[in-house]
Structures are given as structure tokens and as C-alpha cells.
Amino acid sequence: MNNGLLDLFIVILAGVIHAMLQLGISALLILYHASLGKDIKKKTKELTLNFILGFSLFTGLAVSSICFFILVIFGGVMPAAGVVILVMALAVMAFFVWFVYYRRKSKGTELWIPRSFARFVSARAKKTDDNVESFSLGMLIACAEVPFAAMLMITAGNSIVNMPQGLQIISVLVYVIFAAAPMWLCQVAIHYGDTVVDIQKWRVRNKEFFKVMSGVGFITLAIFMLAFKVFGSL
Amino acid sequence: MRIRRKAKLSVDGKQFSEVSLHRDIMREGRVLSRHTGAMEIIADKVCREVAKWVRERGTVTKADLDRVTAARLHKYDADLSYLYRNRGKIL
């Protein structure tokens, strides 16, 4: 397979798996819930748009920083041992997603994050009144997702540095667009008449499917990296 | 003559307020874009029923209050009840 195409495929796959992580969409729904209860719809739209932009900016900056670190530390090519460690970490993350990501006792979509942090996010969403606050909340949520998304970002970063310079920025954008896609879709759904309840019910119904699919995604990415980046480079 | 103290209607140590419950239900109604007039009627009925339930007990927990409010709301609007029941369970 063409190397550039292969790298782009890895970036897209990592972005899609990042999109399956639920913290961003959960926080967005809380913001929707809090804002629709007190503000006019136009203001809610602005707040949620800024939330998504904050999330996207942090994700883009994190991926770019990882690219820079790979460039500085490894000279642009991660050694095979590093890639093997990355593959193992991706496999481990799959098990974490299957067994830890969602709270087992919860019938809803409660996630692994500490309850105090969940309460803080809910309280923050209720107090969010202007665009800067919602932008910052988006960045905070993207930052909170890093423990699960870090391996995906490193994988994407490793592929992005191998691309021609002109394509690198586009690839970062592609990753960000895929990672934030569920939030854009949520915006569109609410714009066309769906409610927070419709979306939350849909999420609860498909919780197990998402759990399985994101774990499978991590494993697929690990196998893909092993095949093309470890054995392919021998 | 024995003087019986009137039971203080409290929720988790705070005074139960029909007004704040009414405001809460109205806010949830706005989230679902429900008609204000219809919401007023639903909120009035639910508040009366919940207040009666609280008076029978004197002291209740916040979780109990939310559960009972959601159950009463379910008669009038299932989505609203769902929203009320799942507050704080999204993240």
C-alpha cells in the first residue's frame, strides 16, 4: 500500500476511535441541558459551538505537540521498539475501554471519571454564560479525555510526521474533524428537532455497542500498526 | 396540655419549597421546548402531588424527591420524566 495513504488511513482510524470515546459528547449534552433551561436557543447554539471549538483546538494542539516531540526526540521516525510499545499500549487500552470506561453499576452513561469531577463539570456547565467559558470547558473536557485518547494521538502523530509537509497540517485537521464529529452531528440533530432526551436515550440504547466497537477499534489499530509499521518496516 | 410541634418539611436538611420545584420543572420543560402554558399546568399539578407526598413524611432525601417527582411527571410527559430521572447520570 502507498505509504502516504497508509498514514492517512491510520490518522482517520485513530480519529474515528477517538470519536467513540464518550466524554466530549456527554459534557456537550450537559451543556445543552443547562443552557436550554435558561437561555434562548441562539445563545445555546453559540455556547455549544464554542465548546466544540475549544475541544477541537485542544485536540489539534495536542496532536501537533506530539508530532513535534516525535520529530525532536526520534528525528521523525519512531524506532520499532517504540512502535511495539505503542501497539501494546493500544491493546491494553482496548481492555480498559471494555472493562473500565463505563461505570458498571450505572444504567445510564456514567463514565470512569471521578464523581467529584463529574459534579464539577455539571456545575460549571450550569454556570456557563459566555462563549469564553464554554470554549474553556471544551478544552478542559478534551484535556480530561487524554488518559484514553493519548495513545490514539501518539499513533496519529507518528503517522503525521511521516507525511509530506504540506499534508501534515491537513492530517491534523482530519484527525480533529473525525474526533469532534459526534459533537457536530449532535448539533445538527438538535438543529433539526431532536432533543437532549432523544440523544441520551439513543446513547443509552447503544452503550454496549459503542463499548465493544471502541475496544475493537483499539485492537484493529494495534494490529494495523503491528502489520505495517513493525513488520512492514523490517 | 401537650403541644405537638408541627413537622418541618425538609429535604436533605433544607426546607422543601414548592416554588423551587415548580421552577425546576419549568426549566426542564424549556429544555424540551414544551409549550409554557402546558408546562405551567403540569408543574402545578406535579408540585401539588409532590408537596402532599412530602407533607405525609416530613423529612425526605433529595434522591427520593427526584424519584417521586419523576414518577408523577411520567403521567403527563414521559420525556420530561426521563430528563428529571437522569439528572447527574449523563457524565
Side-chain angles (χ1 to χ4, degrees), chain A residues 11 63 66-67 70 76 152-162 175:
Chain A
V11 171
V63 174
I66 287 166
C67 291
I70 292 172
L152 298 170
M153 289 176 178
I154 295 171
T155 309
N158 181 43
S159 292
I160 290 169
V161 289
N162 291 332
Y175 181 87

Side-chain angles (χ1 to χ4, degrees), chain A residues 33 37 39 109 115 201, chain B residues 27-28 30 33 79 90-91:
Chain A
H33 181 208
D39 301 320
T109 51
R115 288 303 84 198
K201 277 182 179 171
Chain B
R27 197 185 302 129
E28 300 295 354
R30 282 192 63 175
S33 309
D79 279 354
I90 293 177
L91 194 66

Side-chain angles (χ1 to χ4, degrees), chain A residues 5-206:
Chain A
L5 209 62
L6 182 78
D7 287 325
L8 184 65
F9 184 76
I10 289 174
V11 171
I12 291 173
L13 186 59
V16 169
I17 300 166
H18 192 157
M20 282 193 234
L21 301 176
Q22 299 285 314
L23 190 54
I25 190 97
S26 292
L28 182 71
L29 283 180
I30 286 177
L31 183 61
Y32 255 118
H33 181 208
S35 178
L36 280 171
K38 60 184 165 75
D39 301 320
I40 56 168
K41 280 187 180 171
K42 192 182 169 205
K43 171 118 184 183
T44 303
K45 204 184 276 180
E46 280 173 13
L47 290 179
T48 49
L49 182 69
N50 277 283
F51 175 91
I52 299 172
L53 289 179
F55 182 93
S56 304
L57 182 72
F58 185 91
T59 308
L61 287 178
V63 174
S64 307
S65 311
I66 287 166
C67 291
F68 178 73
F69 284 129
I70 292 172
L71 219 59
V72 169
I73 298 169
F74 303 114
V77 182
M78 201 185 264
V83 180
V84 170
I85 292 170
L86 193 60
V87 167
M88 285 163 66
L90 283 169
V92 169
M93 291 317 288
F95 286 95
F96 271 115
V97 169
W98 281 329
F99 299 111
V100 179
Y101 197 71
Y102 285 101
R103 282 183 185 265
R104 285 178 157 201
K105 286 176 186 170
S106 165
K107 285 178 184 169
T109 51
E110 284 179 63
L111 302 176
W112 57 277
I113 53 168
R115 288 303 84 198
S116 54
F117 183 69
R119 278 193 294 274
F120 169 75
V121 171
S122 299
R124 207 45 259 166
K126 276 178 196 160
K127 286 178 192 163
T128 299
D129 277 329
D130 67 61
N131 296 338
V132 178
E133 282 176 309
S134 62
F135 188 86
S136 315
L137 186 65
M139 290 188 89
L140 175 74
I141 292 299
C143 179
E145 199 150 61
V146 164
F148 276 85
M151 291 306 147
L152 298 170
M153 289 176 178
I154 295 171
T155 309
N158 181 43
S159 292
I160 290 169
V161 289
N162 291 332
M163 289 181 173
Q165 266 190 343
L167 281 178
Q168 288 181 349
I169 295 174
I170 296 171
S171 302
V172 172
L173 286 177
V174 166
Y175 181 87
V176 169
I177 288 168
F178 274 94
M183 288 179 245
W184 291 113
L185 291 176
C186 182
Q187 281 266 55
V188 172
I190 288 181
H191 179 76
Y192 283 104
D194 278 330
T195 62
V196 174
V197 170
D198 295 329
I199 296 169
Q200 181 59 15
K201 277 182 179 171
W202 184 82
R203 287 181 67 220
V204 171
R205 264 201 313 276
N206 295 293

Side-chain angles (χ1 to χ4, degrees), chain B residues 53-68:
Chain B
W53 177 82
V54 174
R55 270 198 298 277
E56 283 166 9
R57 276 148 190 87
T59 302
V60 294
T61 64
K62 180 84 177 72
D64 281 341
L65 185 71
D66 284 351
R67 184 176 49 78
V68 169

